[in-house]
Amino acid sequence: MLTIGFVGTGTLTEAVVAGLMQSHAGRCRILLSPRSEAISRRLAEAYEEVERCAGNEEVVERSDIVVLAVLPKQLADVTAVLPFRREQLIVSVVAAAPVESVRALVAPAATVVRVIPLPPIRFRKGPVVLYPANAMVEELFGGLGDLIVVERESELAAIGHASAVMSSHYELQNAVIGWLRSRGLAEATAALYVRSLFAGLGELGLDAARKGENVDPVHHETAGGLNECGRAYLMRQGWFDEVGKALDVIAQHVPSKPKG
């Protein structure tokens, strides 16, 4: 049985483990570092194949695959004291940490793969991006969402910037929900309708992408109808042009360090 160890047990690790337990239950064992304590204990209690270790050293010593899931500023200090082995496969989900930089930190382990999982992975939904191609990692993560293997590491940066529209996505949903509430709908009714609507449209778009088809907005509106009316107004306001400008701002942004 394959043993996968997670160095760092935060929200993203919890989502990945939940996805793995749905797709690989009985085929792998999961070892977790003890921090965060709440998440590691919750996962160990929820799944028979998940074990909470005493520390990161134990995780690395007992694992075939080591997943690095710590904050970028913690990476060098955390890895400096860990007993990596040459034959181990290292999977890094650390943001903005190039493969070569990680490889230098995990020597003598030589095989490093970067993976960008997103929160929907807990439901085995959404994109899972990796670089470089690796058959074992592709098999492991392939059942957790739509696997995207990029040819150049530079593409990961662009994808990471494009992913930064997640909170804006929910802001848009909340604006529509707020409008419905102002028309007298109960919040629960408005929220369920809007979120279900967006999820359904997402499934239609994803189906088209898997078939290699484009999604033309014109095909989702009636001439002179409500959808055309709304899109035409937003186009006149330059609303869709602002999306590209926002992504440019995101690409130039240097995240500030948390206070404390």
Side-chain angles (χ1 to χ4, degrees):
M1 182 179 290
L2 191 67
T3 301
I4 307 168
F6 285 79
V7 175
T9 311
T11 303
L12 186 56
T13 291
E14 185 172 25
V16 173
V17 170
L20 286 171
M21 287 296 94
Q22 293 176 60
S23 62
H24 290 75
R27 297 162 52 194
C28 65
R29 181 158 193 81
I30 305 293
L31 303 180
L32 301 176
S33 57
R35 294 179 60 186
S36 112
E37 182 174 353
I39 293 176
S40 60
R41 289 190 183 279
R42 183 162 62 241
L43 288 171
E45 291 171 0
Y47 304 105
E48 183 178 350
E49 298 95 335
V50 176
E51 178 182 347
R52 184 176 184 267
C53 294
N56 290 329
E57 293 86 353
E58 182 184 356
V59 171
V60 174
E61 287 173 352
R62 295 174 55 193
S63 297
D64 304 305
I65 298 176
V66 177
V67 181
L68 300 176
V70 297
L71 296 175
K73 63 181 181 180
Q74 299 172 326
L75 182 61
D77 289 340
V78 168
T79 55
V81 296
L82 298 181
F84 296 103
R85 304 186 303 277
R86 181 175 300 277
E87 72 275 10
Q88 283 178 317
L89 171 58
I90 309 300
V91 175
S92 172
V93 299
V94 181
V99 166
E100 289 304 320
S101 297
V102 176
R103 185 179 288 118
L105 295 172
V106 300
T111 304
V112 177
V113 178
R114 284 183 67 185
V115 176
I116 301 179
L118 296 175
I121 199 171
R122 71 170 58 248
F123 305 116
R124 300 168 66 190
K125 298 279 188 179
V128 182
V129 187
L130 68 88
Y131 171 86
N134 180 281
M136 183 173 290
V137 179
E138 290 172 42
E139 194 279 330
L140 189 64
F141 283 87
L144 305 187
D146 290 290
L147 191 65
I148 300 170
V149 182
V150 298
E151 296 181 356
R152 297 180 298 277
E153 191 168 16
S154 60
E155 296 177 79
L156 293 179
I159 286 174
H161 295 144
S163 300
V165 298
M166 289 189 291
S167 60
S168 299
H169 169 81
Y170 288 113
E171 190 72 33
L172 173 58
Q173 288 192 14
N174 289 343
V176 180
I177 290 168
W179 186 89
L180 287 174
R181 289 184 62 199
S182 74
R183 265 57 180 179
L185 272 76
E187 181 172 2
T189 302
L192 180 59
Y193 174 77
V194 172
R195 303 206 195 285
S196 180
L197 171 66
F198 275 70
L201 293 173
E203 288 295 329
L204 288 175
L206 191 55
D207 180 65
R210 287 169 177 162
K211 295 175 179 176
E213 300 172 353
N214 293 324
V215 177
D216 188 341
V218 173
H219 295 160
H220 295 270
E221 64 187 20
T222 302
L226 301 180
N227 280 280
E228 183 188 64
C229 176
R231 186 168 68 92
Y233 172 80
L234 293 174
M235 290 185 71
R236 290 194 300 272
Q237 302 302 312
W239 195 80
F240 299 105
D241 294 331
E242 293 299 318
V243 175
K245 294 177 184 178
L247 289 170
D248 289 338
V249 171
I250 290 168
Q252 298 167 11
H253 178 64
V254 178
S256 58
K257 295 183 178 179
K259 296 181 180 179

